[in-house]
Amino acid sequence: MMTETTILAAYGLLVMLTILLQVLGGAQQLSLGYLLSSRDEDRSMTGMTARLKRALDNSIVAMALFAPAVLILEILDRTNATSLLAAQVFLIARIIYLPVYALGVPAIRTLAWLAGFAATAILYFLAL
């Protein structure tokens, strides 16, 4: 059964997948030796790998906002059909967001980001 907390766990796995994809892309562009080093020398990634890094950074921020909202609702025992729908919208939006960001599709990326952000805001309003 899908709950807000299982959606949170699923999103955690999505973020972990993004980390893995970004690291694999980085290994191709920067070399495994560089990734295993102290990285004192600054190197940058390009293309899809760079977009995956930016998507990952954004996903971590989204997690930092989404997780407390879900946990607050759980602790307060205020989960309901609306909070479940908001969490589902968040997850679907983030599932859309990551590949379209990686592929460089800006308009859909922005709409997906807005949907996820709005869904998170709804969760906080439900916690008040």
Side-chain angles (χ1 to χ4, degrees):
M1 180 175 149
M2 205 59 137
T3 66
E4 292 86 345
T5 52
T6 58
I7 290 169
L8 176 58
Y11 184 59
L13 290 172
L14 182 62
V15 172
M16 291 179 73
L17 175 63
T18 307
I19 291 168
L20 180 62
L21 293 172
Q22 195 272 323
V23 167
L24 291 173
Q28 287 182 332
Q29 286 190 16
L30 303 175
S31 84
L32 187 57
Y34 175 75
L35 293 179
L36 294 173
S37 74
S38 62
R39 300 184 197 178
D40 291 332
E41 174 188 333
D42 191 27
R43 294 185 188 175
S44 59
M45 295 173 281
T46 60
M48 185 180 291
T49 302
R51 289 190 300 273
L52 275 169
K53 172 67 172 118
R54 292 190 299 273
L56 174 59
D57 292 345
N58 184 272
S59 295
I60 292 168
V61 170
M63 175 71 85
L65 291 171
F66 179 69
V70 167
L71 296 175
I72 289 167
L73 288 169
E74 282 291 328
I75 290 167
L76 297 176
D77 196 26
R78 291 193 187 164
T79 59
N80 56 37
T82 304
S83 63
L84 181 58
L85 179 60
Q88 290 168 334
V89 167
F90 171 86
L91 182 60
I92 292 166
R94 296 307 299 190
I95 288 170
I96 293 168
Y97 174 86
L98 286 165
V100 298
Y101 198 142
L103 295 171
V105 184
I108 296 170
R109 180 196 79 213
T110 302
L111 292 174
W113 181 90
L114 284 170
F117 190 80
T120 303
I122 289 167
L123 293 172
Y124 279 105
F125 283 116
L126 292 171
L128 296 177

